[in-house]
Amino acid sequence: MNTAIDLSRSSGAHLSILLLGVAAPPPIGEFAENVSIAWLEERDRDKAKLAERLTAVKDILQRANVAHDIVDVYTELTSVDNVVAHKARYADLVAIGPDAAADGSLKHAVIDGALFHSQVPTLIIPGNGKPTLEPTSVVVAWKDSLEAMRAVKQGIELLKSAKEIHVGIVDPGTNDGEPAGEVGTYLSRHGVNFTVDVLRSDGRTVVETLNQYADDLATDLIVMGAYSHSRMRERIFGGVTLSMLKNPKRAVFLAR
């Protein structure tokens, strides 16, 4: 909660909070009837806890004196993406705080709702991430793709506010021409000062290479395009987005 409040204050933004209670799936199979009463009682307890949490959060927000609205929803995990999508349509940015970022299933459901159903950029803030929209140092994970360009465009105000911008390109192809040439022109037109570094993986994964680069620069944030391959392909074969989100070492700004 403090992370969300800090973000709102640092940017002067209105804070819309979606407080989620995730229900256990209903019992099925041969013994469903025997456990249904216990399942219903568990749901009642969950709803009571969510109501208590809502009261507590409202109190925190009133004392924080930030412009806000809040809604609580109790739903199953399979519906979280649709719930988030509906709320995200009226937002400029979806921020996933440390608690949700630590829950893999919930995190990916929220990302699905924001990126795929609403096309709203998403900021993932892990427990060790810096909760700010005015970062000191930013790494742009660049490749010549639509998703990467959208991340730069949707994050341009954030990039303009940063003190240092580093465009990192992992193992560019020999026929790629000038590394980051066109995106560099775009950034320059927006008054963004940046450096470009070609990164050699040398047997490491793309994510390992980018994280080491960000570590060396003491970077607050990575800006990157998400899911240049289909979600199904990434879930089966793996991919840069999933690997970066598995255990993020710093805040990550995603768009697609």
Side-chain angles (χ1 to χ4, degrees):
M1 179 53 56
N2 290 333
T3 298
I5 291 171
D6 288 344
L7 280 174
S8 179
R9 281 179 175 159
S10 68
S11 60
H14 182 96
L15 177 61
S16 292
I17 293 181
L18 175 60
L19 196 61
L20 286 171
V22 180
I28 59 175
E30 182 179 355
F31 302 104
E33 184 175 350
N34 295 331
V35 299
S36 59
I37 294 177
W39 174 73
L40 289 172
E41 291 175 346
E42 180 183 0
R43 288 176 66 94
D44 289 340
R45 289 192 296 270
D46 286 346
K47 290 178 181 178
K49 290 179 182 178
L50 183 61
E52 291 176 2
R53 180 61 175 160
L54 177 62
T55 299
V57 170
K58 284 182 176 179
D59 182 59
I60 293 171
L61 290 169
Q62 289 293 340
R63 288 187 280 109
N65 195 28
V66 294
H68 68 274
D69 65 89
I70 182 170
V71 61
D72 63 312
V73 177
Y74 185 69
T75 187
E76 294 178 12
L77 183 62
T78 53
S79 298
V80 166
D81 57 346
N82 290 324
V83 172
V84 170
H86 180 74
K87 187 70 172 174
R89 289 173 194 163
Y90 309 100
D92 298 311
L93 175 71
V94 172
I96 301 177
D99 289 343
D103 185 327
S105 297
L106 180 59
K107 175 174 60 181
H108 288 292
V110 173
I111 290 171
D112 279 0
L115 293 184
F116 285 89
H117 300 308
S118 294
Q119 296 187 338
V120 175
T122 301
L123 180 67
I124 295 94
I125 307 169
N128 57 344
K130 185 177 179 181
T132 180
L133 294 179
E134 296 181 350
T136 300
S137 175
V138 177
V139 162
V140 177
W142 179 252
K143 63 180 292 187
D144 190 11
S145 69
L146 180 60
E147 293 80 11
M149 194 61 228
R150 281 179 177 163
V152 170
K153 284 184 175 180
Q154 294 184 8
I156 191 63
E157 293 302 320
L158 184 153
L159 295 175
K160 288 164 67 174
S161 71
K163 294 180 180 179
E164 299 177 4
I165 305 295
H166 306 273
V167 180
I169 310 169
V170 179
D171 295 335
T174 56
N175 297 321
D176 286 350
E178 181 69 22
E182 292 185 352
V183 72
T185 300
Y186 177 84
L187 291 172
S188 295
R189 287 172 180 165
H190 284 272
V192 176
N193 295 318
F194 62 94
T195 60
V196 177
D197 290 303
V198 173
L199 311 174
R200 300 299 176 186
S201 59
D202 295 328
R204 298 170 297 175
T205 67
V206 172
V207 170
E208 289 170 342
T209 305
L210 286 171
N211 276 329
Q212 184 60 60
Y213 178 57
D215 285 345
D216 293 342
L217 296 168
T219 293
D220 305 320
L221 175 72
I222 291 180
V223 172
M224 61 181 288
Y227 297 104
S228 57
H229 301 299
S230 70
R231 282 176 293 174
M232 182 61 70
R233 179 177 176 182
E234 289 223 6
R235 284 170 181 166
I236 294 174
F237 299 106
V240 173
T241 308
L242 280 182
S243 296
M244 182 65 77
L245 296 181
K246 186 175 181 181
N247 186 26
K249 302 178 66 175
R250 56 188 52 81
V252 181
F253 179 94
L254 295 172
R256 75 173 306 277

